[in-house]
Amino acid sequence: MMMNKENYTTMIRLKNSDEIARIRESGILLAETLKEVKKLLCEGITTMELDKFAYNYIVTRGGKPAFLGYFEYPASLCISINNQVIHGIPGKRKLENGDIVGIDLGVILNGYFSDACFTQGIGTISGSRQRLIKVTEECLYRALDQTRAGNRLKRVSEAVYSHAKNNGYDVVRKFCGHGVGFELHEEPQIFNYVASGPNPRLKVGMVLAIEPMVNEGTSDVNILDDGWTVVTADSKDSAHFEHTVAIRDHGIEILTEGF
Ligand code: MF3
Ligand code: CO
């Protein structure tokens, strides 16, 4: 199909306030899960233990981990350590003092999807790692500041990109944020840099997962032999934050707040 500006915008599935309320329920369960996982973070715990905890916590409360089985992804959490950018598969690796750990989670509750992530240090981390985490989280909040009805999507991308660049970092190009709610990944794609391609105007009823992935060095990434784990090409550090937000007429609501 030939794509023009107008039919791209119509591919973005809007949510009414009832549907947003249901995505919020999913987001609340997600946020509670991440909050509990955060409490468990310490030197010596394996990433598999964190994953098992998250799985049980979600399933016990009537939810489903959204990543589990998605393109055969084998776990509930993505746990990405240091030079790992995203999609780290939980396993026997133990967290170590000084590591930075990205914990990404998707939840389905009553058929509605939410998606969020944070990055945090274990024990005492270096000043450069602290700064990377801080700037990446700021990138997310600067993006959220631009997320409102009437703005064009690329203002969101530009907010992430300029803040990362102004701090001497780069952003990952190969992966991006996305619409979310009825499915894990919906239109639009939300790049963390100003890409060519559609630039829809944001509308009330859009629900978006905005997720800056910021690298200390080059933006280039590789995928490990496990078929999932994305690592920086130069082995330098990377950080990732994400929230699911709804655009309302009075501004945005962060549907995954609270971890
Ligand atoms: N938050 C990530 C994303 O939106 C995680 C997806 S992991 C997968 O793509 F296993 F579900 F692919
Ligand atoms: Co996502």
Side-chain angles (χ1 to χ4, degrees), residues 67 104 115-116 176-178 184-185 209 211 240 242:
F67 301 165
D104 191 353
D115 189 4
C176 60
H178 48 94
L184 179 59
H185 293 138
E211 47 181 321
H240 180 204
E242 177 175 19

Side-chain angles (χ1 to χ4, degrees), residues 81-235:
I81 305 171
N82 302 337
N83 64 313
Q84 299 177 345
V85 179
I86 48 168
H87 301 173
I89 303 173
K92 292 186 183 135
R93 181 166 176 176
K94 289 185 160 90
L95 301 184
E96 289 173 23
N97 184 52
D99 282 345
I100 55 170
V101 186
I103 307 228
D104 191 353
L105 175 62
V107 165
I108 313 170
L109 185 64
N110 301 318
Y112 290 83
F113 289 73
S114 56
D115 189 4
C117 176
F118 66 89
T119 301
Q120 188 173 291
I122 303 300
T124 310
I125 63 171
S126 67
S128 62
R129 286 182 166 172
Q130 283 176 34
R131 196 172 76 86
L132 177 64
I133 290 175
K134 178 174 167 283
V135 170
T136 307
E137 188 168 25
E138 287 167 358
C139 285
L140 173 59
Y141 284 92
R142 283 172 180 246
L144 298 188
D145 280 343
Q146 295 303 324
T147 305
R148 69 177 91 96
N151 271 6
R152 296 245 176 220
L153 183 59
K154 283 181 192 177
R155 286 186 57 174
V156 176
S157 302
E158 208 280 325
V160 172
Y161 184 75
S162 60
H163 193 58
K165 279 288 183 178
N166 287 341
N167 282 281
Y169 299 137
D170 212 330
V171 301
V172 175
R173 317 292 162 110
K174 282 196 182 138
F175 296 89
C176 60
H178 48 94
V180 65
F182 298 141
E183 295 173 71
L184 179 59
H185 293 138
E186 301 177 18
E187 296 298 334
Q189 296 192 85
I190 306 171
F191 294 97
N192 290 314
Y193 65 102
V194 183
S196 59
N199 189 15
R201 212 179 271 287
L202 300 179
K203 283 187 183 168
V204 170
M206 288 183 181
V207 177
L208 306 174
I210 295 173
E211 47 181 321
M213 292 161 247
V214 176
N215 290 355
E216 188 192 8
T218 173
S219 63
D220 291 348
V221 297
N222 295 317
I223 299 179
L224 297 185
D225 287 339
D226 64 19
W228 282 102
T229 313
V230 178
V231 297
T232 56
D234 60 8
S235 299

